[in-house]
Amino acid sequence: MRPFSLGMLFPCLKTQYLKFRFCLFPTVMALNLRQKQTECIIRMLNLNQPLNATGTANEEVYKILIYDKFCQNILSPLIHVKDLRKHGVTLYFLIDKDRKPVHDVPAVYFVQPSQVNVRRIVADASRSLYDSLHLNFSSSIPRPLLEDLASGTLNSESVDKISKVHDQYLEFVTLEHNLFSLAQKSCYVQLNDPSAGDREIEEIVEKVASGLFCVLATLAVVPVIRCPSGGPAEMVASVLDQKLRDHLLSKNNLFAEGGGFASSFQRPVLCIFDRNFELSVGMQHDFRYLPLVHDVLGLRLNRLSVPGEKGGMRSYELDNSDPFWVANGFLEFPEVAVEIETQLNKYKKDVDEVNRRTGGTDGAEFDGTDLMGNTKHLMNAVNSLPELTERKQVIDKHTNIATVLLGEIKERSLDSYAKKENDMMVRGGIDRNELLGVLRGKGTKMDKLRFAIIYLICSESINPSEVEAIETSLRESEVDTCAFQYVKKMKSLNVSLASANSASRSNIVDWAEKLYGQSISAVTAGVKNLLSSDRQLALTRTVEALMEGRPNPDVDSYLVFDPRAPKSSSGTSSSHLKGPFKEAIVFMIGGGNYMEYGSLQEFAQRQQPVKHVVYGTTEILTGIEFVEQLTVLGQKMGLGSAVASPAPTL
């Protein structure tokens, strides 16, 4: 094949691509991740053209959208069908599906930069499926893949079909304004697998760091990075620090407009942890509305399906467009039930008031048909109809969800699990009879296993007789104890490997060799990393200390990486602490959950003035899904039998 230049083959690549990257983000810094990612996607849907005041392109162009499964999940919580129509998208397809030609219409591709996707793009171009192809990759496309794209279209004489190529840096899923997931599955297993080799660990760390880079690029911020010494958190922080340093050397970089002197006072702190920092929270029962809905009903990508009142399944969307969800998501379930009743009574009162003014019947369902009275009242009633109808739909939705939840709570005694786990974590233990009473009482096999593991983590020392009684009780309930045995093994090895825990982990080989030690140290941290007396999570307390930026023995040993500072100062525990910080990004490697997210948001709202905290993780896990990962690790150590593979997660 004759030599070629990427710039010659894709003339737009060099000019449009760099220009797009430079002007992508506004200069005002605000960590509203959902808004910023949505703006990037809308710009992409409009062929990366500048948008007018209405949020659309000046020239309306009808187009087709092609995406892969991963990017479909990115779009799903942010963009609805009506939004696609608004921005001229008439048809949308998965890239791996057979598609028929649609001539004279451009196609917008939004896919991960993979060999498979590049081959499909080349095939589409060679078949002239669409008038032109606007390629948008979710992260930076490696040069070898870009060369494959160029050579493939060159050989098929379809280079002219490629209109533009963009790196969008959007390879993460934003679920709420302050919540995101990298959607990287089974990270906890991969990082704690005793058989994992150096190359495998490096690949995982690189993937996590790349995902975090995408988040920072979308926010257009270069944070100060803090993390504990040793383990996955330090490794990811180090790789991310180097990525940011390398990128900042480029004149037209993604952060070029955010690097002024004034902005240095507004930089956020990025706090990186790994799941072993506070293991118990990954499997704890929570009695607040949002965590309950996620854990019990399987909320995924802000959607869930529950049995309807008249049979069949009802699908609901739970996001920022639902005012009840936003206002009450982190209330205890009984408070939510009271709020639903309050909203229903208020709705009925407003309907009665409208009917009274228009001569209707008190207590009648407001459907707009029983309207009489003067013109003014009639017009007011008509104008209030859409708002009242929407309120009723929201009330009906949450009434149905709460009814299903209540059935699960009663059947499994979830309120008892949540209360006893909280008490156990505050006190650091539980009475033996009370413990066995829970394990022999109501609840699923997984409920009992989660409770038993939390007891194991909370106990500062293992009581052999109590552990034996727990195992007997679990076996009587036919519970697979792989996960329990794994945590017990980690605790029992703590003393003998204590020296390994404190050994140097300056390079990846050293850390991989002491992988067990990292797990054991965190699992047996005792009451230090449990709930405080005010039931604030250890993660939240640590983030609060890091945001204050003052000398604090709990965080003084944390490493500092500042990509804008000289390289010699990075990766050290410095007494010169930067802060206080008004904004923070908290990232959990190995799986996060809504309990931690809620705790951080409550902390941020309590501050005066209010602070801003974004929470992210490699994947959002229910308690069941996290215990399944512990089970896999137990199996890898030969501690139990096989179980079903984990359910899909974010």
Side-chain angles (χ1 to χ4, degrees):
M1 183 181 69
R2 65 186 178 89
F4 59 87
S5 162
L6 293 178
M8 292 173 59
L9 289 175
F10 302 139
C12 63
L13 184 62
K14 201 168 185 179
T15 55
Q16 297 286 345
Y17 172 57
L18 291 177
K19 179 182 177 184
F20 168 74
R21 292 174 66 195
F22 182 76
C23 66
L24 183 58
F25 306 105
T27 56
V28 178
M29 189 188 80
L31 299 185
N32 190 330
L33 188 58
R34 183 183 177 93
Q35 177 185 330
K36 286 179 176 289
Q37 190 178 32
T38 302
E39 289 172 354
C40 291
I41 289 171
I42 289 174
R43 188 181 290 108
M44 176 188 74
L45 294 177
N46 286 280
L47 308 182
N48 294 298
Q49 298 298 316
L51 304 180
N52 55 35
T54 63
T56 58
N58 293 322
E59 181 182 357
E60 186 174 21
V61 178
Y62 292 103
K63 59 194 80 77
I64 292 172
L65 176 62
I66 309 296
Y67 45 68
D68 59 14
K69 189 63 180 176
F70 187 92
C71 291
Q72 182 184 35
N73 290 343
I74 294 175
L75 295 171
S76 180
L78 303 176
I79 302 292
H80 300 92
V81 173
K82 64 179 181 180
D83 300 315
L84 293 177
R85 298 282 186 266
K86 176 183 177 181
H87 297 289
V89 176
T90 55
L91 297 170
Y92 44 92
F93 303 101
L94 282 166
I95 192 170
D96 58 356
K97 300 296 182 183
D98 290 332
R99 289 165 277 120
K100 296 181 179 179
V102 183
H103 302 296
D104 302 323
V105 175
V108 174
Y109 283 71
F110 183 38
V111 296
Q112 285 186 296
S114 68
Q115 189 71 57
V116 172
N117 285 338
V118 167
R119 287 173 183 165
R120 291 303 298 250
I121 291 169
V122 171
D124 291 352
S126 63
R127 292 172 56 202
S128 297
L129 285 187
Y130 313 112
D131 179 63
S132 60
L133 278 60
H134 298 251
L135 307 183
N136 299 271
F137 293 101
S138 58
S139 61
S140 179
I141 180 171
R143 186 173 181 84
L145 285 181
L146 196 59
E147 291 176 349
D148 289 345
L149 174 64
S151 61
T153 52
L154 178 67
N155 292 336
S156 60
E157 298 182 351
S158 55
V159 175
D160 59 320
K161 289 293 182 182
I162 308 298
S163 177
K164 294 180 181 179
V165 180
H166 292 298
D167 290 340
Q168 292 289 356
Y169 295 99
L170 295 174
E171 197 155 296
F172 56 94
V173 178
T174 305
L175 299 170
E176 299 196 15
H177 290 312
N178 301 317
L179 176 65
F180 71 91
S181 163
L182 300 186
Q184 297 178 7
K185 298 179 182 179
S186 301
C187 241
Y188 185 81
V189 171
Q190 294 165 359
L191 287 170
N192 290 277
D193 185 351
S195 63
D198 298 348
R199 184 178 295 277
E200 293 169 290
I201 298 295
E202 285 177 332
E203 289 175 355
I204 297 164
V205 169
E206 173 66 27
K207 188 176 180 183
V208 173
S210 295
L212 274 174
F213 182 88
C214 288
V215 172
L216 299 177
T218 301
L219 291 171
V221 296
V222 179
V224 174
I225 305 170
R226 301 296 304 273
C227 69
S229 175
E234 179 182 349
M235 295 168 64
V236 170
S238 178
V239 173
L240 179 61
D241 175 62
Q242 191 58 52
K243 278 182 175 291
L244 290 167
R245 288 177 181 277
D246 292 343
H247 188 75
L248 289 171
L249 293 176
S250 171
K251 182 179 179 181
N252 292 334
N253 65 72
L254 292 163
F255 312 98
E257 297 188 17
F261 176 79
S263 69
S264 64
F265 294 104
Q266 302 177 9
R267 292 173 65 194
V269 59
L270 169 60
C271 311
I272 303 179
F273 303 87
D274 82 277
R275 184 69 272 158
N276 285 327
F277 173 81
E278 198 172 11
L279 193 69
S280 57
V281 180
M283 65 197 86
Q284 191 178 347
H285 291 87
D286 196 335
F287 206 50
R288 291 174 296 175
Y289 191 36
L290 195 162
L292 260 179
V293 169
H294 177 242
D295 194 31
V296 177
L297 303 183
L299 178 69
R300 185 171 184 270
L301 293 173
N302 293 343
R303 291 180 172 86
L304 81 159
S305 297
V306 297
E309 295 178 357
K310 301 178 181 178
M313 299 297 291
R314 293 290 305 272
S315 294
Y316 296 118
E317 195 161 311
L318 297 169
D319 58 18
N320 290 7
S321 65
D322 183 334
F324 187 92
W325 181 248
V326 172
N328 303 291
F330 285 102
L331 291 182
E332 295 280 325
F333 181 73
E335 297 177 80
V336 172
V338 170
E339 185 62 25
I340 291 174
E341 185 176 2
T342 301
Q343 293 296 327
L344 180 59
N345 291 335
K346 188 174 185 302
Y347 164 80
K348 289 179 178 179
K349 181 180 177 181
D350 291 346
V351 169
D352 289 343
E353 177 65 18
V354 170
N355 285 333
R356 185 185 66 79
R357 288 177 174 274
T358 57
T361 305
D362 285 354
E365 186 70 21
F366 190 73
D367 58 5
T369 59
D370 188 18
L371 296 175
M372 297 181 296
N374 60 46
T375 303
K376 180 180 178 181
H377 288 154
L378 182 62
M379 290 302 298
N380 288 338
V382 170
N383 291 335
S384 66
L385 177 57
E387 189 263 341
L388 286 171
T389 302
E390 184 176 342
R391 280 170 57 189
K392 184 60 165 59
Q393 289 173 346
V394 171
I395 292 168
D396 288 346
K397 172 170 69 174
H398 288 282
T399 299
N400 192 22
I401 292 172
T403 301
V404 176
L405 270 181
L406 182 60
E408 289 287 331
I409 290 168
K410 289 181 176 180
E411 183 178 343
R412 296 164 54 184
S413 290
L414 294 177
D415 53 335
S416 177
Y417 277 101
K419 182 180 184 305
K420 291 183 186 299
E421 286 170 1
N422 266 298
D423 292 345
M424 186 163 53
M425 294 176 73
V426 171
R427 299 199 307 258
I430 188 173
D431 177 74
R432 174 171 177 162
N433 292 332
E434 191 176 5
L435 169 67
L436 296 178
V438 172
L439 297 179
R440 291 166 182 164
K442 291 183 179 180
T444 63
K445 296 177 182 179
M446 191 60 76
D447 289 329
K448 296 176 181 180
L449 180 58
R450 290 161 66 178
F451 188 81
I453 296 174
I454 290 174
Y455 160 78
L456 198 59
I457 295 171
C458 290
S459 304
E460 292 188 70
S461 60
I462 297 178
N463 185 319
S465 63
E466 286 191 2
V467 171
E468 185 178 345
I470 292 172
E471 292 175 352
T472 300
S473 181
L474 291 175
R475 283 194 295 268
E476 288 173 354
S477 299
E478 299 181 342
V479 176
D480 185 333
T481 60
C482 273
F484 184 84
Q485 297 293 341
Y486 173 75
V487 176
K488 186 177 78 167
K489 186 74 170 178
M490 294 299 98
K491 289 201 68 167
S492 66
L493 290 173
N494 184 49
V495 175
S496 60
L497 292 183
S499 59
N501 288 334
S502 60
S504 169
R505 297 185 181 90
S506 58
N507 59 65
I508 192 164
V509 178
D510 192 25
W511 178 78
E513 288 175 350
K514 297 175 175 63
L515 198 59
Y516 280 153
Q518 173 66 18
S519 301
I520 299 158
S521 175
V523 169
T524 60
V527 294
K528 182 179 179 181
N529 274 9
L530 299 180
L531 293 174
S532 59
S533 57
D534 62 353
R535 302 199 173 191
Q536 189 180 54
L537 299 182
L539 176 70
T540 306
R541 298 199 308 272
T542 305
V543 169
E544 181 177 8
L546 291 171
M547 291 188 74
E548 286 177 353
R550 299 171 184 166
N552 185 319
D554 290 337
V555 296
D556 285 347
S557 63
Y558 276 49
L559 304 181
V560 180
F561 294 86
D562 186 350
R564 290 197 183 277
K567 177 68 174 176
S568 59
S569 65
S570 280
T572 59
S573 52
S574 174
S575 59
H576 177 65
L577 300 175
K578 299 174 180 290
F581 295 93
K582 297 179 181 179
E583 298 172 307
I585 303 166
V586 180
F587 187 76
M588 181 61 71
I589 303 167
N593 49 73
Y594 283 99
M595 178 180 283
E596 287 178 333
Y597 171 59
S599 178
L600 288 167
Q601 296 310 305
E602 288 169 4
F603 149 72
Q605 292 301 314
R606 285 197 308 266
Q607 305 304 302
Q608 292 297 332
V610 172
K611 294 189 176 183
H612 193 174
V613 178
V614 175
Y615 175 71
T617 177
T618 46
E619 58 180 333
I620 303 287
L621 294 173
T622 65
I624 293 174
E625 290 162 348
F626 181 60
V627 171
E628 285 175 339
Q629 294 202 27
L630 292 176
T631 299
V632 171
L633 289 170
Q635 293 165 4
K636 288 178 177 291
M637 292 179 65
L639 299 175
S641 57
V643 292
S645 58
T649 58
L650 293 185

